[in-house]
Amino acid sequence: MCPPNLKALGGTSDIFPSDSDAWQQLESLARHTAHLYGFREIRTPLIEEAAVFTGALGSTTEVVTKQMYQFEDRGGRRVVLRPEGTASIVRAFIEKGLDKTGGLVRLYYMGPMFRAERPQAGRRRQFHQFGAEMFGSASPYSDVETIAVLKRILDSWGLTGWKLKINSLGTPEDRSRILDFIRQKLEPHKDKFSPEELERLEKNPLRILDSKEPVCQVLCGAIDFSEVIADESLDRFDQVLRTLGHMDIPFERDPLLVRGLDYYTHTVFEVVHPALGAQDALGGGGRYDGLVQGMGGVSTTAVGFAIGLERVLIALEALKAVPATTKQPAVYVATTDPAEIPEGLLQAEQLRERSIEAVVNLEDRPLKRQFDQANKLGCRFVIVRGAAEREKKVVTVKDMNSREQRELTQADWLATMADLVKE
Ligand code: AMP
């Protein structure tokens, strides 16, 4: 026996048909747009060996230290419910040997991610991302094209009012200089930091830039990596920014943007939206040129992004632009006598043969109740089957909008219904 009052776990949600239509529309628009750029879908398992993430994301990142759903399976392996997509895709990319074939590989993915966070608006324990990854180009233009896909997806959803923030972390050598630079700038102010921030400063100074502490924010505000990044990296970044301008993609340089994971190099970006409040990031991404090699593959450059779909829906709701529910069955097949139900089932099948959505009455109940049901489902037409129709060899159809009722002959009812539904 189950205990009573079973509920979904905190931070997870059920998506009912009233919302799943909107989800499906977002998903199909994103798919369509990704295809326009030559991206094809990859589906990886939701569960992976823990090492896929612990190595890739960085052992000091919040996702790894605090948020991974990690456990030992029955075989004693340490496994993780994926907290993000990129590391799994890189694992799959290497496992398939794609790192050895060279050439451009463009992949997109969609699906649930899991992070053990404190649930609040826009922060779920199971949430959904749409993401894209491009492997095999080091060109700054590949950064721009990745951002262009992201922008076109947001546009296809009718999402307005977002802002693209962008920064560069340079090469791994630049990164070590950045870390030293942050330490050097902040060490004299150590006494003002909390123990947690001191630990960050010691272990991974980039993480301190995410601190919400006002003192820390003021001190960090004075830091600009471009002082220590090599000229070549700055030129590369400049080319990205100039090309974004050329493509009419608006952006804002944010010298403190570092993103939460350790694998990024060169360009990093984030899309924020004011409707999201404290959790204002809709999505983000960047280059990760060292990750394929870092995970045991042949060195392969890469760039990608991920968008959080729950947050997209929050922003669309604020804009009153959530895609409308459009899917309603077109036809309801009602029966005046339960003996007619088997014929009703066949009639509904004939409609579906013609790709017309149809539902059929399955119960012994009054016609009025069936019409109520048809109304509730939003059916445009009701077909009524009864003894009279059988005798006269006709099909009665009622248009629920105009309330008009007509009789169609058995010979042409189906063709006429197809025309009516199309109108
Ligand atoms: P991240 O890789 O952490 O930057 O995540 C990319 C995007 O996924 C974010 O910008 C959010 O839109 C979304 N996201 C990340 N974590 C959560 C979460 N716990 N709940 C809902 N959405 C999330």
Side-chain angles (χ1 to χ4, degrees), residues 175-215:
R175 191 192 186 88
S176 340
R177 278 197 295 275
I178 289 173
L179 299 187
D180 288 343
F181 181 61
I182 298 173
R183 281 197 194 100
Q184 192 192 327
K185 290 265 177 193
L186 299 185
E187 291 252 330
H189 306 280
K190 264 168 122 173
D191 52 326
K192 301 183 184 104
F193 293 157
S194 66
E196 197 184 324
E197 283 164 338
L198 279 177
E199 196 185 330
R200 286 186 189 185
L201 187 59
E202 208 170 285
K203 289 195 178 149
N204 188 350
L206 276 186
R207 295 277 75 79
I208 207 163
L209 303 187
D210 301 330
S211 169
K212 300 277 176 281
E213 289 296 320
V215 186

mmCIF file of all heavy atoms in Angstrom, residues 175-215:
data_model
loop_
_atom_site.group_PDB
_atom_site.id
_atom_site.type_symbol
_atom_site.label_atom_id
_atom_site.label_comp_id
_atom_site.label_asym_id
_atom_site.label_seq_id
_atom_site.Cartn_x
_atom_site.Cartn_y
_atom_site.Cartn_z
ATOM 1 N N ARG A 175 44.029 32.832 -18.260
ATOM 2 C CA ARG A 175 43.217 32.522 -17.077
ATOM 3 C C ARG A 175 44.084 32.493 -15.817
ATOM 4 O O ARG A 175 43.692 33.052 -14.790
ATOM 5 C CB ARG A 175 42.525 31.177 -17.286
ATOM 6 C CG ARG A 175 41.465 30.866 -16.273
ATOM 7 C CD ARG A 175 41.080 29.400 -16.425
ATOM 8 N NE ARG A 175 39.960 29.065 -15.584
ATOM 9 C CZ ARG A 175 38.688 29.190 -15.917
ATOM 10 N NH1 ARG A 175 38.343 29.650 -17.095
ATOM 11 N NH2 ARG A 175 37.733 28.861 -15.081
ATOM 12 N N SER A 176 45.275 31.865 -15.906
ATOM 13 C CA SER A 176 46.130 31.860 -14.697
ATOM 14 C C SER A 176 46.534 33.276 -14.327
ATOM 15 O O SER A 176 46.606 33.614 -13.143
ATOM 16 C CB SER A 176 47.426 31.065 -14.848
ATOM 17 O OG SER A 176 47.386 30.180 -15.835
ATOM 18 N N ARG A 177 46.780 34.108 -15.361
ATOM 19 C CA ARG A 177 47.128 35.502 -15.037
ATOM 20 C C ARG A 177 45.934 36.216 -14.396
ATOM 21 O O ARG A 177 46.094 37.003 -13.463
ATOM 22 C CB ARG A 177 47.577 36.247 -16.306
ATOM 23 C CG ARG A 177 49.047 35.992 -16.656
ATOM 24 C CD ARG A 177 49.567 37.045 -17.626
ATOM 25 N NE ARG A 177 48.880 36.972 -18.904
ATOM 26 C CZ ARG A 177 49.224 36.156 -19.897
ATOM 27 N NH1 ARG A 177 50.268 35.365 -19.757
ATOM 28 N NH2 ARG A 177 48.556 36.139 -21.018
ATOM 29 N N ILE A 178 44.724 35.886 -14.891
ATOM 30 C CA ILE A 178 43.519 36.506 -14.312
ATOM 31 C C ILE A 178 43.395 36.116 -12.838
ATOM 32 O O ILE A 178 43.129 36.947 -11.971
ATOM 33 C CB ILE A 178 42.242 36.064 -15.081
ATOM 34 C CG1 ILE A 178 42.221 36.707 -16.463
ATOM 35 C CG2 ILE A 178 40.990 36.428 -14.315
ATOM 36 C CD1 ILE A 178 41.087 36.201 -17.366
ATOM 37 N N LEU A 179 43.643 34.832 -12.536
ATOM 38 C CA LEU A 179 43.517 34.363 -11.152
ATOM 39 C C LEU A 179 44.510 35.094 -10.249
ATOM 40 O O LEU A 179 44.159 35.568 -9.164
ATOM 41 C CB LEU A 179 43.728 32.844 -11.069
ATOM 42 C CG LEU A 179 42.740 31.972 -11.859
ATOM 43 C CD1 LEU A 179 42.963 30.494 -11.557
ATOM 44 C CD2 LEU A 179 41.288 32.329 -11.539
ATOM 45 N N ASP A 180 45.768 35.210 -10.735
ATOM 46 C CA ASP A 180 46.781 35.927 -9.941
ATOM 47 C C ASP A 180 46.380 37.380 -9.738
ATOM 48 O O ASP A 180 46.539 37.953 -8.666
ATOM 49 C CB ASP A 180 48.147 35.897 -10.661
ATOM 50 C CG ASP A 180 48.762 34.516 -10.596
ATOM 51 O OD1 ASP A 180 48.302 33.719 -9.744
ATOM 52 O OD2 ASP A 180 49.668 34.228 -11.404
ATOM 53 N N PHE A 181 45.857 37.939 -10.809
ATOM 54 C CA PHE A 181 45.456 39.349 -10.802
ATOM 55 C C PHE A 181 44.364 39.601 -9.750
ATOM 56 O O PHE A 181 44.424 40.540 -8.965
ATOM 57 C CB PHE A 181 44.949 39.677 -12.213
ATOM 58 C CG PHE A 181 44.503 41.095 -12.435
ATOM 59 C CD1 PHE A 181 45.381 42.160 -12.275
ATOM 60 C CD2 PHE A 181 43.198 41.369 -12.857
ATOM 61 C CE1 PHE A 181 44.964 43.472 -12.523
ATOM 62 C CE2 PHE A 181 42.776 42.659 -13.103
ATOM 63 C CZ PHE A 181 43.659 43.716 -12.932
ATOM 64 N N ILE A 182 43.372 38.693 -9.729
ATOM 65 C CA ILE A 182 42.283 38.856 -8.749
ATOM 66 C C ILE A 182 42.850 38.720 -7.335
ATOM 67 O O ILE A 182 42.556 39.534 -6.438
ATOM 68 C CB ILE A 182 41.153 37.825 -8.971
ATOM 69 C CG1 ILE A 182 40.540 38.024 -10.357
ATOM 70 C CG2 ILE A 182 40.087 37.932 -7.898
ATOM 71 C CD1 ILE A 182 39.520 36.958 -10.745
ATOM 72 N N ARG A 183 43.697 37.715 -7.132
ATOM 73 C CA ARG A 183 44.293 37.509 -5.795
ATOM 74 C C ARG A 183 45.045 38.767 -5.370
ATOM 75 O O ARG A 183 44.854 39.267 -4.268
ATOM 76 C CB ARG A 183 45.260 36.324 -5.819
ATOM 77 C CG ARG A 183 44.564 34.997 -5.759
ATOM 78 C CD ARG A 183 45.528 33.886 -5.366
ATOM 79 N NE ARG A 183 44.917 32.606 -5.628
ATOM 80 C CZ ARG A 183 45.169 31.847 -6.699
ATOM 81 N NH1 ARG A 183 46.058 32.233 -7.608
ATOM 82 N NH2 ARG A 183 44.553 30.703 -6.873
ATOM 83 N N GLN A 184 45.861 39.261 -6.308
ATOM 84 C CA GLN A 184 46.697 40.425 -6.016
ATOM 85 C C GLN A 184 45.835 41.641 -5.655
ATOM 86 O O GLN A 184 46.125 42.379 -4.727
ATOM 87 C CB GLN A 184 47.488 40.682 -7.295
ATOM 88 C CG GLN A 184 48.628 41.648 -7.215
ATOM 89 C CD GLN A 184 49.052 41.966 -8.671
ATOM 90 O OE1 GLN A 184 48.978 41.118 -9.569
ATOM 91 N NE2 GLN A 184 49.467 43.183 -8.888
ATOM 92 N N LYS A 185 44.724 41.815 -6.390
ATOM 93 C CA LYS A 185 43.853 42.969 -6.138
ATOM 94 C C LYS A 185 43.094 42.831 -4.813
ATOM 95 O O LYS A 185 42.814 43.819 -4.147
ATOM 96 C CB LYS A 185 42.808 43.112 -7.258
ATOM 97 C CG LYS A 185 43.387 43.555 -8.573
ATOM 98 C CD LYS A 185 43.253 45.046 -8.704
ATOM 99 C CE LYS A 185 43.911 45.517 -9.998
ATOM 100 N NZ LYS A 185 44.092 46.943 -10.067
ATOM 101 N N LEU A 186 42.730 41.579 -4.465
ATOM 102 C CA LEU A 186 41.841 41.415 -3.315
ATOM 103 C C LEU A 186 42.563 41.061 -2.006
ATOM 104 O O LEU A 186 42.029 41.307 -0.927
ATOM 105 C CB LEU A 186 40.764 40.360 -3.610
ATOM 106 C CG LEU A 186 39.831 40.688 -4.779
ATOM 107 C CD1 LEU A 186 38.729 39.637 -4.912
ATOM 108 C CD2 LEU A 186 39.158 42.061 -4.602
ATOM 109 N N GLU A 187 43.782 40.515 -2.115
ATOM 110 C CA GLU A 187 44.496 40.093 -0.892
ATOM 111 C C GLU A 187 44.604 41.214 0.150
ATOM 112 O O GLU A 187 44.354 40.967 1.341
ATOM 113 C CB GLU A 187 45.889 39.563 -1.234
ATOM 114 C CG GLU A 187 45.874 38.240 -1.980
ATOM 115 C CD GLU A 187 46.343 37.057 -1.153
ATOM 116 O OE1 GLU A 187 47.179 37.271 -0.257
ATOM 117 O OE2 GLU A 187 45.848 35.945 -1.418
ATOM 118 N N PRO A 188 44.928 42.439 -0.251
ATOM 119 C CA PRO A 188 45.047 43.495 0.766
ATOM 120 C C PRO A 188 43.740 43.742 1.531
ATOM 121 O O PRO A 188 43.762 44.393 2.567
ATOM 122 C CB PRO A 188 45.433 44.745 -0.057
ATOM 123 C CG PRO A 188 45.905 44.235 -1.383
ATOM 124 C CD PRO A 188 45.251 42.920 -1.599
ATOM 125 N N HIS A 189 42.610 43.242 0.982
ATOM 126 C CA HIS A 189 41.321 43.516 1.637
ATOM 127 C C HIS A 189 40.751 42.270 2.307
ATOM 128 O O HIS A 189 39.562 42.227 2.631
ATOM 129 C CB HIS A 189 40.314 44.019 0.593
ATOM 130 C CG HIS A 189 40.805 45.181 -0.187
ATOM 131 N ND1 HIS A 189 40.771 46.473 0.295
ATOM 132 C CD2 HIS A 189 41.394 45.254 -1.404
ATOM 133 C CE1 HIS A 189 41.297 47.287 -0.609
ATOM 134 N NE2 HIS A 189 41.687 46.571 -1.651
ATOM 135 N N LYS A 190 41.612 41.292 2.520
ATOM 136 C CA LYS A 190 41.174 39.991 3.052
ATOM 137 C C LYS A 190 40.343 40.090 4.325
ATOM 138 O O LYS A 190 39.413 39.318 4.530
ATOM 139 C CB LYS A 190 42.402 39.128 3.373
ATOM 140 C CG LYS A 190 42.775 38.166 2.277
ATOM 141 C CD LYS A 190 44.113 37.608 2.560
ATOM 142 C CE LYS A 190 44.081 36.099 2.664
ATOM 143 N NZ LYS A 190 45.436 35.559 2.781
ATOM 144 N N ASP A 191 40.694 41.053 5.168
ATOM 145 C CA ASP A 191 40.006 41.170 6.457
ATOM 146 C C ASP A 191 38.529 41.515 6.298
ATOM 147 O O ASP A 191 37.734 41.358 7.214
ATOM 148 C CB ASP A 191 40.712 42.222 7.332
ATOM 149 C CG ASP A 191 40.892 43.537 6.586
ATOM 150 O OD1 ASP A 191 41.100 43.481 5.348
ATOM 151 O OD2 ASP A 191 40.803 44.602 7.217
ATOM 152 N N LYS A 192 38.149 41.989 5.098
ATOM 153 C CA LYS A 192 36.740 42.375 4.903
ATOM 154 C C LYS A 192 35.892 41.197 4.413
ATOM 155 O O LYS A 192 34.680 41.319 4.275
ATOM 156 C CB LYS A 192 36.635 43.500 3.867
ATOM 157 C CG LYS A 192 37.416 44.739 4.264
ATOM 158 C CD LYS A 192 37.226 45.853 3.247
ATOM 159 C CE LYS A 192 38.089 47.044 3.609
ATOM 160 N NZ LYS A 192 39.281 47.199 2.793
ATOM 161 N N PHE A 193 36.532 40.056 4.141
ATOM 162 C CA PHE A 193 35.802 38.935 3.537
ATOM 163 C C PHE A 193 35.327 37.910 4.553
ATOM 164 O O PHE A 193 35.951 37.700 5.598
ATOM 165 C CB PHE A 193 36.682 38.218 2.512
ATOM 166 C CG PHE A 193 36.990 39.057 1.302
ATOM 167 C CD1 PHE A 193 38.101 38.785 0.523
ATOM 168 C CD2 PHE A 193 36.180 40.132 0.951
ATOM 169 C CE1 PHE A 193 38.388 39.549 -0.594
ATOM 170 C CE2 PHE A 193 36.464 40.905 -0.160
ATOM 171 C CZ PHE A 193 37.573 40.615 -0.934
ATOM 172 N N SER A 194 34.199 37.277 4.216
ATOM 173 C CA SER A 194 33.684 36.183 5.049
ATOM 174 C C SER A 194 34.576 34.948 4.838
ATOM 175 O O SER A 194 35.296 34.872 3.837
ATOM 176 C CB SER A 194 32.255 35.855 4.621
ATOM 177 O OG SER A 194 32.286 35.321 3.306
ATOM 178 N N PRO A 195 34.508 33.975 5.782
ATOM 179 C CA PRO A 195 35.331 32.766 5.620
ATOM 180 C C PRO A 195 35.067 32.071 4.277
ATOM 181 O O PRO A 195 35.972 31.568 3.636
ATOM 182 C CB PRO A 195 34.886 31.880 6.784
ATOM 183 C CG PRO A 195 34.263 32.797 7.767
ATOM 184 C CD PRO A 195 33.754 33.975 7.023
ATOM 185 N N GLU A 196 33.791 32.113 3.855
ATOM 186 C CA GLU A 196 33.445 31.445 2.590
ATOM 187 C C GLU A 196 34.146 32.137 1.418
ATOM 188 O O GLU A 196 34.686 31.494 0.512
ATOM 189 C CB GLU A 196 31.937 31.477 2.394
ATOM 190 C CG GLU A 196 31.458 30.479 1.357
ATOM 191 C CD GLU A 196 29.952 30.596 1.114
ATOM 192 O OE1 GLU A 196 29.216 30.866 2.100
ATOM 193 O OE2 GLU A 196 29.532 30.441 -0.023
ATOM 194 N N GLU A 197 34.147 33.465 1.459
ATOM 195 C CA GLU A 197 34.795 34.206 0.372
ATOM 196 C C GLU A 197 36.313 34.027 0.390
ATOM 197 O O GLU A 197 36.950 33.941 -0.651
ATOM 198 C CB GLU A 197 34.443 35.695 0.465
ATOM 199 C CG GLU A 197 33.042 35.941 -0.052
ATOM 200 C CD GLU A 197 32.496 37.277 0.358
ATOM 201 O OE1 GLU A 197 32.998 37.842 1.364
ATOM 202 O OE2 GLU A 197 31.572 37.753 -0.302
ATOM 203 N N LEU A 198 36.852 33.939 1.619
ATOM 204 C CA LEU A 198 38.304 33.708 1.735
ATOM 205 C C LEU A 198 38.677 32.377 1.104
ATOM 206 O O LEU A 198 39.699 32.260 0.422
ATOM 207 C CB LEU A 198 38.721 33.717 3.204
ATOM 208 C CG LEU A 198 38.914 35.102 3.815
ATOM 209 C CD1 LEU A 198 39.254 35.000 5.294
ATOM 210 C CD2 LEU A 198 40.019 35.871 3.077
ATOM 211 N N GLU A 199 37.789 31.389 1.312
ATOM 212 C CA GLU A 199 38.055 30.076 0.738
ATOM 213 C C GLU A 199 38.022 30.139 -0.784
ATOM 214 O O GLU A 199 38.861 29.579 -1.482
ATOM 215 C CB GLU A 199 37.026 29.075 1.262
ATOM 216 C CG GLU A 199 37.459 27.648 1.037
ATOM 217 C CD GLU A 199 36.375 26.657 1.447
ATOM 218 O OE1 GLU A 199 35.593 26.959 2.369
ATOM 219 O OE2 GLU A 199 36.314 25.586 0.815
ATOM 220 N N ARG A 200 37.040 30.894 -1.290
ATOM 221 C CA ARG A 200 36.952 31.052 -2.745
ATOM 222 C C ARG A 200 38.215 31.731 -3.276
ATOM 223 O O ARG A 200 38.772 31.322 -4.298
ATOM 224 C CB ARG A 200 35.762 31.937 -3.122
ATOM 225 C CG ARG A 200 34.427 31.264 -2.977
ATOM 226 C CD ARG A 200 33.359 32.178 -3.511
ATOM 227 N NE ARG A 200 32.024 31.684 -3.218
ATOM 228 C CZ ARG A 200 30.905 32.251 -3.650
ATOM 229 N NH1 ARG A 200 30.964 33.334 -4.380
ATOM 230 N NH2 ARG A 200 29.739 31.757 -3.350
ATOM 231 N N LEU A 201 38.641 32.764 -2.568
ATOM 232 C CA LEU A 201 39.820 33.522 -3.009
ATOM 233 C C LEU A 201 41.033 32.598 -3.101
ATOM 234 O O LEU A 201 41.856 32.704 -3.995
ATOM 235 C CB LEU A 201 40.086 34.668 -2.027
ATOM 236 C CG LEU A 201 41.168 35.669 -2.413
ATOM 237 C CD1 LEU A 201 40.853 36.337 -3.743
ATOM 238 C CD2 LEU A 201 41.328 36.739 -1.333
ATOM 239 N N GLU A 202 41.083 31.675 -2.172
ATOM 240 C CA GLU A 202 42.212 30.761 -2.145
ATOM 241 C C GLU A 202 42.097 29.682 -3.226
ATOM 242 O O GLU A 202 43.021 29.452 -3.990
ATOM 243 C CB GLU A 202 42.228 30.085 -0.781
ATOM 244 C CG GLU A 202 43.605 29.658 -0.342
ATOM 245 C CD GLU A 202 43.524 29.241 1.107
ATOM 246 O OE1 GLU A 202 43.428 30.135 1.988
ATOM 247 O OE2 GLU A 202 43.493 28.022 1.317
ATOM 248 N N LYS A 203 40.911 29.075 -3.305
ATOM 249 C CA LYS A 203 40.761 27.904 -4.184
ATOM 250 C C LYS A 203 40.455 28.258 -5.634
ATOM 251 O O LYS A 203 40.965 27.630 -6.554
ATOM 252 C CB LYS A 203 39.645 26.991 -3.654
ATOM 253 C CG LYS A 203 40.038 26.274 -2.394
ATOM 254 C CD LYS A 203 39.064 25.152 -2.136
ATOM 255 C CE LYS A 203 39.451 24.366 -0.892
ATOM 256 N NZ LYS A 203 38.277 23.831 -0.215
ATOM 257 N N ASN A 204 39.560 29.183 -5.843
ATOM 258 C CA ASN A 204 39.201 29.558 -7.210
ATOM 259 C C ASN A 204 38.714 31.006 -7.235
ATOM 260 O O ASN A 204 37.516 31.275 -7.139
ATOM 261 C CB ASN A 204 38.118 28.623 -7.757
ATOM 262 C CG ASN A 204 37.868 28.881 -9.229
ATOM 263 O OD1 ASN A 204 38.362 29.870 -9.790
ATOM 264 N ND2 ASN A 204 37.116 28.014 -9.859
ATOM 265 N N PRO A 205 39.673 31.935 -7.373
ATOM 266 C CA PRO A 205 39.327 33.350 -7.247
ATOM 267 C C PRO A 205 38.242 33.815 -8.221
ATOM 268 O O PRO A 205 37.549 34.789 -7.927
ATOM 269 C CB PRO A 205 40.647 34.065 -7.557
ATOM 270 C CG PRO A 205 41.706 33.057 -7.360
ATOM 271 C CD PRO A 205 41.103 31.725 -7.622
ATOM 272 N N LEU A 206 38.052 33.111 -9.350
ATOM 273 C CA LEU A 206 36.999 33.553 -10.281
ATOM 274 C C LEU A 206 35.629 33.529 -9.600
ATOM 275 O O LEU A 206 34.776 34.357 -9.862
ATOM 276 C CB LEU A 206 36.940 32.642 -11.510
ATOM 277 C CG LEU A 206 37.896 32.925 -12.658
ATOM 278 C CD1 LEU A 206 37.567 32.002 -13.818
ATOM 279 C CD2 LEU A 206 37.826 34.376 -13.107
ATOM 280 N N ARG A 207 35.463 32.533 -8.710
ATOM 281 C CA ARG A 207 34.164 32.358 -8.050
ATOM 282 C C ARG A 207 33.804 33.532 -7.149
ATOM 283 O O ARG A 207 32.640 33.801 -6.906
ATOM 284 C CB ARG A 207 34.140 31.073 -7.202
ATOM 285 C CG ARG A 207 34.259 29.786 -7.967
ATOM 286 C CD ARG A 207 32.913 29.344 -8.531
ATOM 287 N NE ARG A 207 32.518 30.136 -9.671
ATOM 288 C CZ ARG A 207 32.993 29.971 -10.892
ATOM 289 N NH1 ARG A 207 33.870 29.040 -11.134
ATOM 290 N NH2 ARG A 207 32.576 30.733 -11.896
ATOM 291 N N ILE A 208 34.819 34.249 -6.708
ATOM 292 C CA ILE A 208 34.554 35.361 -5.789
ATOM 293 C C ILE A 208 33.835 36.502 -6.521
ATOM 294 O O ILE A 208 33.127 37.298 -5.924
ATOM 295 C CB ILE A 208 35.863 35.850 -5.118
ATOM 296 C CG1 ILE A 208 35.527 36.477 -3.764
ATOM 297 C CG2 ILE A 208 36.631 36.821 -5.972
ATOM 298 C CD1 ILE A 208 36.713 36.611 -2.866
ATOM 299 N N LEU A 209 33.990 36.520 -7.845
ATOM 300 C CA LEU A 209 33.327 37.580 -8.609
ATOM 301 C C LEU A 209 31.811 37.396 -8.619
ATOM 302 O O LEU A 209 31.067 38.315 -8.905
ATOM 303 C CB LEU A 209 33.853 37.616 -10.047
ATOM 304 C CG LEU A 209 35.360 37.805 -10.202
ATOM 305 C CD1 LEU A 209 35.728 37.984 -11.655
ATOM 306 C CD2 LEU A 209 35.841 39.020 -9.429
ATOM 307 N N ASP A 210 31.344 36.173 -8.310
ATOM 308 C CA ASP A 210 29.895 35.932 -8.242
ATOM 309 C C ASP A 210 29.310 36.351 -6.886
ATOM 310 O O ASP A 210 28.096 36.294 -6.699
ATOM 311 C CB ASP A 210 29.574 34.425 -8.376
ATOM 312 C CG ASP A 210 30.077 33.845 -9.674
ATOM 313 O OD1 ASP A 210 30.132 34.602 -10.654
ATOM 314 O OD2 ASP A 210 30.414 32.642 -9.706
ATOM 315 N N SER A 211 30.173 36.730 -5.948
ATOM 316 C CA SER A 211 29.704 37.013 -4.591
ATOM 317 C C SER A 211 28.660 38.132 -4.578
ATOM 318 O O SER A 211 28.746 39.098 -5.324
ATOM 319 C CB SER A 211 30.887 37.417 -3.713
ATOM 320 O OG SER A 211 30.398 37.934 -2.502
ATOM 321 N N LYS A 212 27.655 37.930 -3.711
ATOM 322 C CA LYS A 212 26.594 38.948 -3.624
ATOM 323 C C LYS A 212 26.891 39.958 -2.513
ATOM 324 O O LYS A 212 26.147 40.906 -2.313
ATOM 325 C CB LYS A 212 25.236 38.277 -3.358
ATOM 326 C CG LYS A 212 24.805 37.296 -4.440
ATOM 327 C CD LYS A 212 24.128 38.010 -5.613
ATOM 328 C CE LYS A 212 23.757 37.085 -6.754
ATOM 329 N NZ LYS A 212 24.843 36.702 -7.650
ATOM 330 N N GLU A 213 28.004 39.734 -1.755
ATOM 331 C CA GLU A 213 28.350 40.645 -0.658
ATOM 332 C C GLU A 213 28.716 42.030 -1.214
ATOM 333 O O GLU A 213 29.582 42.131 -2.092
ATOM 334 C CB GLU A 213 29.566 40.117 0.105
ATOM 335 C CG GLU A 213 29.284 38.886 0.936
ATOM 336 C CD GLU A 213 28.300 39.162 2.057
ATOM 337 O OE1 GLU A 213 28.397 40.238 2.672
ATOM 338 O OE2 GLU A 213 27.421 38.317 2.284
ATOM 339 N N PRO A 214 28.079 43.105 -0.692
ATOM 340 C CA PRO A 214 28.344 44.446 -1.236
ATOM 341 C C PRO A 214 29.834 44.811 -1.251
ATOM 342 O O PRO A 214 30.336 45.314 -2.263
ATOM 343 C CB PRO A 214 27.562 45.375 -0.313
ATOM 344 C CG PRO A 214 26.529 44.515 0.334
ATOM 345 C CD PRO A 214 27.054 43.119 0.351
ATOM 346 N N VAL A 215 30.564 44.525 -0.140
ATOM 347 C CA VAL A 215 31.993 44.901 -0.084
ATOM 348 C C VAL A 215 32.733 44.239 -1.246
ATOM 349 O O VAL A 215 33.538 44.856 -1.952
ATOM 350 C CB VAL A 215 32.643 44.379 1.222
ATOM 351 C CG1 VAL A 215 34.074 44.872 1.357
ATOM 352 C CG2 VAL A 215 31.799 44.726 2.414
#
